[in-house]
Amino acid sequence: MNHQLSHTNSCGHHTSSGERLALYENCRLCPRSCSVNRYERVGFCGCGTVPKAARAALHHWEEPCLSGIHGSGTVFFSGCTLRCCFCQNYQISSEGYGKEISISRLSEIFLELQEQGAHNINLVTATQFLPSIIQALEKADPFLHIPVVYNCGGYESLETVQALEPYVDVWLPDLKYFSSSVSGKYSKAPDYFSAASEAIQQMIRQTGPLLFEDFSENGQTCRLLKRGTILRHMVLPGQKKDSICLLNWISQTLPKGQFLLSLLSQYTPFYKSFEYPEINRRITTYEYEKVLDHAIRLGLTDGFMQEKSSAKEEYTPPFELQGI
Ligand code: SF4
């Protein structure tokens, strides 16, 4: 899929590559708004100005309309603007494991994934490198004919979502928390819901109605999402009320038929979960079913619901710089 090669800023002017890289000088790429000069020091995400990634490979554990038959072409970036205490990818998100790559190499990686048969390019936790990622997408654009998926924690600024409009075909945000005390405790982001709820509404406005395409090969068929928004929510131990508040908000606010909901039961304690005894366990069948029943009662059935048995560590791929 070809994307526009340039975009305009809020004043209607074209944004040049240089202007874009200058965004690192007073970094406000995410709602943390650290305002640091990333050429000199790091902010909350712990990242400099050179993109760093830990894995680029076909991934089969995304929603079926993204993984399809061949897999989704995931690129896992290092660092994170949220750094949740239970993160399953903590080695790269909080501990910074990964390898620095140039913008040219990043655009080559996109094309290599396409060559391997990826149904899409899936940018996982990329916001901290937004200016460089946009440059790499522009470089790859003339040769890239598969959709670009933006896979993020939902904690995005409106400006960042708007800047990505010409480049992103499918938004794949989490919607993690409703309560600010819960998001403050587990992700140090008391403003999580206010930021994510605005960002997600903007994502849906940008992608509009869901667009699918059938794909078949050697007698196998699948339906691939070409454009749209998939909202992910992972139920946390002891937080079914928070999940229910989110479902109520989704049902009351988001336009029906213009997004898919993916309810995840795969929570597994990782990283610093042991510091919080109440989340140092998997969720119970009772907790997950309560949330699931509520979604069904609200008519939020357009999407994906995981089997409760899905809490397995194999959803976390090995981070060994494959494809980087
Ligand atoms: S991207 Fe990093 S440095 Fe920039 S505002 Fe967000 S957390 Fe701070």
Side-chain angles (χ1 to χ4, degrees):
M1 181 169 293
N2 277 347
H3 306 86
Q4 293 170 29
L5 285 177
S6 64
H7 70 288
T8 50
N9 62 23
S10 54
C11 309
H13 301 304
H14 283 278
T15 310
S16 70
S17 301
E19 277 175 48
R20 235 178 258 126
L21 289 178
L23 294 173
Y24 286 133
E25 284 171 13
N26 178 20
C27 189
R28 293 174 188 186
L29 291 171
C30 82
R32 303 262 177 212
S33 283
C34 300
S35 298
V36 293
N37 180 350
R38 294 205 6 217
Y39 290 98
E40 292 170 1
R41 50 184 284 239
V42 298
F44 181 92
C45 61
C47 298
T49 58
V50 179
K52 205 173 174 192
R55 179 180 169 87
L58 298 178
H59 192 60
H60 295 275
W61 296 102
E62 305 292 21
E63 284 72 4
C65 61
L66 298 177
S67 293
I69 296 168
H70 298 166
S72 175
T74 46
V75 184
F76 287 87
F77 291 94
S78 310
C80 181
T81 60
L82 269 177
R83 299 170 55 182
C84 309
C85 67
F86 49 82
C87 180
Q88 63 178 9
N89 298 340
Y90 68 95
Q91 294 141 299
I92 63 168
S93 60
S94 280
E95 295 178 352
Y97 176 74
K99 183 178 163 193
E100 288 193 343
I101 44 176
S102 66
I103 288 166
S104 303
R105 175 64 196 135
L106 186 55
S107 71
E108 270 172 27
I109 287 172
F110 299 154
L111 298 177
E112 285 168 10
L113 288 167
Q114 178 174 260
E115 189 73 12
Q116 289 165 31
H119 293 299
N120 44 63
I121 299 299
N122 185 341
L123 306 170
V124 187
T125 317
T127 296
Q128 62 278 14
F129 298 118
L130 179 91
S132 315
I133 280 162
I134 287 180
Q135 286 201 316
L137 285 171
E138 287 183 346
K139 216 168 161 39
D141 185 83
F143 315 101
L144 202 60
H145 53 77
I146 53 178
V148 172
V149 179
Y150 203 80
N151 183 339
C152 64
Y155 190 56
E156 303 293 346
S157 72
L158 269 187
E159 291 76 13
T160 286
V161 176
Q162 284 163 343
L164 283 164
E165 182 166 13
Y167 310 98
V168 169
D169 303 287
V170 175
W171 288 96
L172 182 57
D174 294 331
L175 183 54
K176 290 173 186 281
Y177 315 102
F178 185 78
S179 145
S180 61
S181 64
V182 180
S183 62
K185 189 175 182 186
Y186 299 142
S187 296
K188 298 189 182 71
D191 62 338
Y192 176 86
F193 179 74
S194 71
S197 56
E198 289 298 321
I200 284 167
Q201 290 180 78
Q202 178 64 22
M203 292 170 190
I204 295 174
R205 271 195 292 274
Q206 286 178 195
T207 51
L210 301 160
L211 181 68
F212 293 93
E213 195 174 274
D214 291 329
F215 179 83
S216 55
E217 191 179 75
N218 301 329
Q220 278 185 288
T221 56
C222 65
R223 210 166 165 235
L224 297 171
L225 185 63
K226 303 302 251 185
R227 191 166 176 82
T229 301
I230 304 178
L231 208 53
R232 278 181 171 167
H233 174 65
M234 182 168 75
V235 182
L236 297 177
Q239 293 299 339
K240 64 178 187 309
K241 280 194 185 137
D242 203 63
S243 296
I244 284 170
C245 288
L246 285 176
L247 293 174
N248 289 341
W249 176 82
I250 292 170
S251 157
Q252 286 158 15
T253 318
L254 300 183
K256 287 223 161 48
Q258 296 209 18
F259 66 94
L260 298 171
L261 177 65
S262 182
L263 272 181
L264 306 175
S265 64
Q266 70 190 53
Y267 178 86
T268 307
F270 276 105
Y271 191 38
K272 292 187 175 166
S273 306
F274 69 90
E275 291 176 13
Y276 303 88
E278 74 280 8
I279 56 164
N280 196 18
R281 63 167 175 87
R282 288 181 173 171
I283 61 165
T284 63
T285 302
Y286 174 76
E287 284 173 316
Y288 188 60
E289 283 182 356
K290 273 279 179 200
V291 175
L292 214 56
D293 287 350
H294 195 74
I296 293 166
R297 245 196 320 276
L298 292 172
L300 295 171
T301 49
D302 218 0
F304 310 93
M305 287 161 189
Q306 263 181 339
E307 298 293 321
K308 174 58 187 67
S309 60
S310 297
K312 293 196 183 119
E313 294 190 14
E314 65 232 34
Y315 285 106
T316 312
F319 296 117
E320 295 163 346
L321 305 182
Q322 185 183 343
I324 296 300

